[in-house]
Amino acid sequence: MVKFIIKSLLNKAHFLNWNQDDYLKYFLSISNNKNKIKTILAKENTPIFIGDTKIIAQRHHDLKNALEKNWLNYQISYSFKTNYSIIENNYFKNNFWAEVVSAKEYLLAEKNQYKNIIFNGPLKTESSLKQAIKNNSIINLDHESEITKVAKHNNKTKTNFGLRLNIITDQTTQKSRFGFSIENKQAEKALKIAKINNVSISGLHIHLGTNIPNCKKYQQAAKKISDFIVKNKLTKQIRYIDFGGGFVSHANPPNDRLNWNIPDIEEYIQAITTTLKQVFHREKKPILLVEPGRYLVEDAISLFSRIENKKIENQTQLITTDTSINMLPITHYRKHIVQIAKENLNIKTGKKIKTIIYGATCQEDDILFEGYLPKISESDYLIWHATGAYNDSMNSNFIFDKPKTVFI
Ligand SMILES: Cc1ncc(COP(=O)(O)O)c(C=O)c1O
C-alpha cells in the first residue's frame, strides 16, 4: 500500500512538471509563417484550421529513418479517420498507403487513388470486402464471421488476409474488444477456421490503442506475436506484421493519465524490431507495417478563432469565441494548448490572468479552456495548437458548419 501511494505521488509530481510551453516549438510557428497565415485569414472566415505540411513531412521523415535503420522492409499507412480533410493532399497520396476502417473510408481511399489500402475495423460490409478482394488490398480480419464472409468471395486472389490479434501486456489497463485473443486461444482457432475455409493468412495485425507513451507495451506485444508465430510455425507464411498506431504527438497528455512522457519515434520502432529480429533473422523479413494517425497530423494543424464577447467577473476574463466544443471534441479528452495573437499576429506574452473561454453554442458546458492566459482583447486571435487529430473527423456539425482546413 505504502509503495503504491509513493508511486502515485511520484507519478503526480512528474505530471505536475509538465510544461506545455516547452512543446510550442513542435506546432505551427506563427512568427515564421506570419505572411502566409495573414493571407489565409484575409480570405477566409474564422474558425479555420491552418496546417503546415512541413511538420507532417518532418514526422514522416523521422519515422521513415527509424524504420529504414531498424528493419528496411516497411510501409507506412495513414489512418484515415484521424483527419479526413487531408486525404486529398498530394503529400499523403504520394507517401502513404491508406488505413481504413469502414466501407465509406474504403471508397474514399479508392476515390483518392491511394496505391494500397489496408482494410481494418469491426464492420466491413460484404460489398466492400468484395471490392477489397478484387483490388488485392490488405484485409485484417477482426472476428470469425469475417473469415467466412471473405471465404465466399476469395477465389485465390493475391489478397493478403491478416488476423487482428488481441494482446494483453503488463501495461494493459483495459482489455480490448477487438480481434482474436492470443491468451484464450481464439487466435489459434481462427487460423484453423481460415484453413478450413481456404483463406490463406499472410499477416498479423495489432492496434494497442491511441496515445501510448510506453514503448514496453510494443516490445511485449512484439514478443507475444513472435511466440505465436513460432508456436504455430508461421515464419514462412507471414508476409507482413502490422503494429497499428498509438504513437504520441506533442499535445497535452490525456486527462486520465497520471504519468506522461513523449518517446522518440525510434524508441517505438526499436522496441518492436529488436524483438522481431530474434525470430526473423533470415534475409527475407516480413513487411513491417505501421498505421500512425495522431503522430503524423496532430502537431501540424492549429485552429484559429476570434473573440465574440469578453467580460470580467471576479478578476477572471470570460471570453466567448467563435469556435465550439463540437468543433474541438477533443476538449473532453485533454486540455488545449492556446496562444493569443494580436490582429497583426504578434503573440501576446506577459502576465497571465485567470481565464475561461466559452464556445459559441448555447450549451452551458461549452467550455474550451480554463486556466491562465495573457489579457485578451476583442480584436485578438485565439490559436488552438495540436488540433489536427480527431477534431475535424469527429466534428458533429452541431449548430455551425465545420471549419475548413487550409495548408500554408
Ligand atoms: C486500427 C487502427 N490503426 C491505427 C489507428 C491510429 O491510431 P493513432 O491515431 O493513435 O496513431 C487507429 C486509431 O484508433 C486504429 O483503430
Side-chain angles (χ1 to χ4, degrees):
M1 186 62 187
V2 175
K3 228 172 154 186
F4 172 78
I5 293 170
I6 292 171
K7 202 173 163 208
S8 44
L9 282 175
L10 283 175
N11 279 345
K12 246 194 183 117
H14 176 93
F15 182 78
L16 290 175
N17 282 337
W18 183 262
N19 182 3
Q20 59 179 46
D21 288 351
D22 293 347
Y23 293 88
L24 286 171
K25 61 177 180 281
Y26 294 101
F27 312 137
L28 175 71
S29 163
I30 312 304
S31 54
N32 292 346
N33 298 293
K34 214 179 244 176
N35 288 338
K36 288 182 186 165
I37 297 171
K38 272 187 188 163
T39 311
I40 294 172
L41 293 172
K43 272 200 274 178
E44 307 282 352
N45 291 327
T46 56
I48 183 165
F49 287 107
I50 300 183
D52 184 355
T53 33
K54 288 196 293 305
I55 297 174
I56 295 167
Q58 183 63 52
R59 301 291 175 277
H60 176 212
H61 171 267
D62 294 348
L63 175 56
K64 225 169 107 171
N65 264 2
L67 287 160
E68 246 149 49
K69 232 164 101 186
N70 293 284
W71 196 255
L72 269 182
N73 193 12
Y74 69 89
Q75 192 59 52
I76 305 169
S77 230
Y78 169 60
S79 181
F80 262 36
K81 64 184 167 297
T82 318
N83 191 322
Y84 298 119
S85 72
I86 50 192
I87 56 175
E88 288 175 23
N89 190 300
N90 282 333
Y91 192 87
F92 280 78
K93 291 190 203 178
N94 295 335
N95 288 291
F96 306 119
W97 287 6
E99 188 271 332
V100 304
V101 288
S102 70
K104 172 189 133 173
E105 289 193 352
Y106 192 91
L107 278 176
L108 267 178
E110 267 192 312
K111 193 174 136 216
N112 283 285
Q113 296 170 340
Y114 275 77
K115 284 181 222 88
N116 282 295
I117 307 175
I118 300 182
F119 198 4
N120 291 329
L123 197 161
K124 307 177 185 83
T125 61
E126 200 147 338
S127 60
S128 61
L129 280 171
K130 217 169 141 183
Q131 187 62 11
I133 291 170
K134 193 170 146 224
N135 292 345
N136 294 327
S137 300
I138 286 182
I139 303 176
N140 289 322
L141 304 163
D142 184 82
H143 45 264
E144 271 183 43
S145 65
E146 276 191 348
I147 304 179
T148 41
K149 248 194 223 172
V150 294
K152 276 200 256 169
H153 304 288
N154 178 30
N155 42 3
K156 295 219 167 65
T157 56
K158 280 191 250 153
T159 309
N160 282 296
F161 294 106
L163 294 182
R164 174 154 178 176
L165 299 175
N166 183 311
I167 289 176
I168 294 175
T169 65
D170 289 348
Q171 294 78 29
T172 301
T173 46
Q174 195 185 1
K175 196 179 168 314
S176 169
R177 68 189 177 101
F178 301 111
F180 301 94
S181 160
I182 289 192
E183 272 79 18
N184 69 17
K185 309 258 188 298
Q186 277 171 6
E188 278 168 16
K189 188 175 159 214
L191 284 175
K192 285 186 193 128
I193 298 172
K195 201 167 178 191
I196 294 164
N197 284 280
N198 285 325
V199 174
S200 163
I201 299 297
S202 54
L204 297 171
H205 173 229
I206 53 162
H207 172 67
L208 297 169
T210 196
N211 256 332
I212 299 173
N214 191 340
C215 296
K216 269 202 186 128
K217 197 163 169 158
Y218 288 86
Q219 193 181 350
Q220 283 196 4
K223 173 83 176 87
K224 291 208 171 180
I225 295 176
S226 303
D227 291 347
F228 180 77
I229 289 172
V230 172
K231 188 170 169 216
N232 292 285
K233 301 187 175 54
L234 300 173
T235 26
K236 291 217 164 68
Q237 184 178 333
I238 290 303
R239 289 206 288 268
Y240 72 90
I241 306 178
D242 183 344
F243 275 81
F247 318 123
V248 303
S249 69
H250 297 88
N252 270 336
N255 295 335
D256 62 346
R257 310 291 175 90
L258 288 175
N259 202 354
W260 191 248
N261 70 306
I262 300 177
D264 192 274
I265 193 68
E266 192 170 354
E267 292 176 51
Y268 288 105
I269 302 304
Q270 278 174 345
I272 294 168
T273 53
T274 44
T275 314
L276 291 187
K277 276 175 192 163
Q278 290 164 19
V279 174
F280 294 100
H281 31 72
R282 65 196 164 106
E283 243 171 72
K284 188 142 178 53
K285 294 186 171 86
I287 304 176
L288 176 58
L289 295 173
V290 282
E291 304 168 345
R294 78 169 68 245
Y295 167 79
L296 279 179
V297 299
E298 187 154 52
D299 292 348
I301 299 176
S302 304
L303 182 85
F304 285 66
S305 74
R306 298 216 78 164
I307 316 302
E308 188 53 35
N309 177 41
K310 176 185 170 180
K311 32 184 189 181
I312 305 273
E313 268 173 31
N314 302 327
Q315 282 126 37
T316 305
Q317 50 179 355
L318 306 177
I319 306 294
T320 301
T321 183
D322 62 1
T323 186
S324 83
I325 206 162
N326 306 88
M327 298 182 205
L328 292 172
I330 287 305
T331 310
H332 297 292
Y333 179 67
R334 62 164 169 71
K335 288 189 174 63
H336 285 294
I337 297 174
V338 196
Q339 278 188 303
I340 314 297
K342 293 185 196 161
E343 228 173 353
N344 62 7
L345 290 184
N346 283 349
I347 297 295
K348 278 191 167 172
T349 51
K351 191 170 174 263
K352 292 182 176 179
I353 56 172
K354 221 173 158 193
T355 306
I356 302 177
I357 304 177
Y358 296 100
T361 66
C362 39
Q363 295 162 275
E364 286 289 2
D365 65 350
D366 190 351
I367 298 171
L368 290 154
F369 180 90
E370 278 185 279
Y372 288 81
L373 286 173
K375 205 167 162 204
I376 297 172
S377 318
E378 291 195 351
S379 54
D380 290 341
Y381 285 101
L382 302 179
I383 305 163
W384 307 83
H385 286 297
T387 45
Y390 306 107
N391 280 304
D392 176 80
S393 52
M394 287 187 164
N395 193 299
S396 72
N397 266 350
F398 179 61
I399 303 184
F400 304 106
D401 286 337
K402 75 176 188 176
K404 247 188 182 177
T405 301
V406 177
F407 282 90
I408 56 170

